[in-house]
Amino acid sequence: MGVLQLLDELPEAITRPPSPLWSVLARSLGEQGGAGRTALAWRWALTGACPSPVTLALAAGRPPDRAGLLAEARAAAELARTDSDPGGQVMQARLVLEWLAGALDSAPLLNPAPSGLGLAAGAAFEGAPFARDPAEIAAAHSWALAGRHRYSRGDGPVTGGGRQAFAWTLGTLELLGWAAGSAGEDSPAAGTPTLHQVALEVAQGMIGIRLAREDRDRARARRVEAVMETFLWLAGWSRHPPVDRHGHGTFEDCAARGATCGCDGAGQCLGPGCPACARDRCVRGFTPDELSSPLAG
């Protein structure tokens, strides 16, 4: 389920509107990452597709009701595992559940100051590290460049329309370029940021989505959505990168997305000779000039 579908179809037990919910979720992941009890609290409350964060009860496959949220928040914690509560996240998970249920007014954040200052005056707040290493980020960035080239030329089958797909690659490139420490058209600021700094940038994403929807600008909404999905991948919340090696965004229907690609070993796209590239060339099939120019071809 994509982030917009999740936020547009919040469970009845959740009392927070989509925009502030996304803001707090993004900043929470920036503080503590996409793994651990705090992230588990968000995922369990919103989807029910994981163990509960305090008692570690098995996933029910559906979100809990409000009584369930509060019962989990106040239950005795299961701490029988070696790394069961790194950084004391059980308490933070309890606060997330109570805030989502409307029983707590203060946002469940370690560093609620939007300026990014730490808990001590003037101290920098580091937050969690990126869940992706530089090589993973660089690979995803090259895949997004392939998508940018493809859709600037109107090339390839696209479920959501070429303009939306092109906008998606731009949003992905914007955040991946910044995360990689690049300065230029694809990055909002020079230097390599922390995950917490990225979270502060993307926290207003739902406001951007709302404004784009009011203007009926689907492409702009896709670009903002891509930034949000890219952040979730960088934080470790999402397993799959926001764009695949064919340059297709996650909102597109790419039949070969899960197929094994052997083109890296060959140093070129094998086309029909590769199970993943029989219909669309992968990033190995694009020249450096094509990847460097958004309007090539």
Side-chain angles (χ1 to χ4, degrees):
M1 178 184 292
V3 64
L4 280 193
Q5 183 181 355
L6 180 67
L7 294 169
D8 284 340
E9 302 173 8
L10 289 172
E12 292 184 6
I14 304 301
T15 65
R16 307 297 172 177
S19 183
L21 188 150
W22 166 254
S23 178
V24 176
L25 168 59
R27 291 165 62 192
S28 176
L29 294 177
E31 290 181 347
Q32 300 188 61
R37 298 293 188 106
T38 306
L40 203 63
W42 288 103
R43 194 183 301 275
W44 180 73
L46 295 174
T47 70
C50 64
S52 60
V54 178
T55 64
L56 300 182
L58 294 178
R62 63 182 182 279
D65 58 18
R66 186 174 186 274
L69 286 175
L70 295 176
E72 180 72 11
R74 296 160 186 174
E78 172 55 60
L79 299 175
R81 301 181 183 181
T82 304
D83 59 346
S84 55
D85 189 22
Q89 288 196 18
V90 168
M91 178 56 70
Q92 203 66 20
R94 296 183 194 276
L95 298 178
V96 168
L97 299 180
E98 292 194 341
W99 183 78
L100 289 172
L104 180 71
D105 292 332
S106 301
L109 296 169
L110 298 174
N111 183 50
S115 64
L117 292 178
L119 298 179
F125 184 85
E126 290 296 329
F130 284 107
R132 312 299 170 185
D133 62 38
E136 289 179 286
I137 295 173
H141 188 265
S142 69
W143 300 349
L145 287 173
R148 183 179 69 171
H149 173 75
R150 166 176 280 131
Y151 296 123
S152 72
R153 301 170 64 247
D155 185 18
V158 192
T159 302
R163 186 166 176 264
Q164 291 186 49
F166 183 66
W168 182 280
T169 63
L170 294 183
T172 302
L173 285 169
E174 179 181 351
L175 205 58
L176 289 177
W178 188 31
S182 302
E185 62 174 330
D186 296 325
S187 52
T192 303
T194 65
L195 183 64
H196 182 250
Q197 288 173 321
V198 174
L200 295 177
E201 285 288 332
V202 305
Q204 303 304 313
M206 283 306 294
I207 295 176
I209 294 290
R210 177 178 58 80
L211 294 174
R213 286 173 171 175
E214 289 176 356
D215 292 339
R216 299 183 180 180
D217 190 340
R218 293 183 179 181
R220 180 153 55 99
R222 282 294 187 196
R223 184 168 182 166
V224 179
E225 180 187 1
V227 170
M228 295 164 68
E229 290 286 2
T230 301
F231 167 75
L232 292 177
W233 179 71
L234 290 170
W237 170 276
S238 298
R239 291 175 49 200
H240 303 292
V243 63
D244 65 24
R245 61 186 301 109
H246 301 104
H248 298 146
T250 52
F251 78 99
E252 300 176 62
D253 182 14
C254 180
R257 177 169 285 132
T260 300
C261 181
C263 299
D264 282 344
Q268 62 180 346
C269 183
L270 301 174
C274 173
C277 303
R279 297 180 59 186
D280 290 304
R281 58 178 168 158
C282 70
V283 66
R284 287 291 186 176
F286 292 83
T287 68
D289 286 343
E290 287 175 327
L291 296 182
S292 66
S293 173
L295 299 176

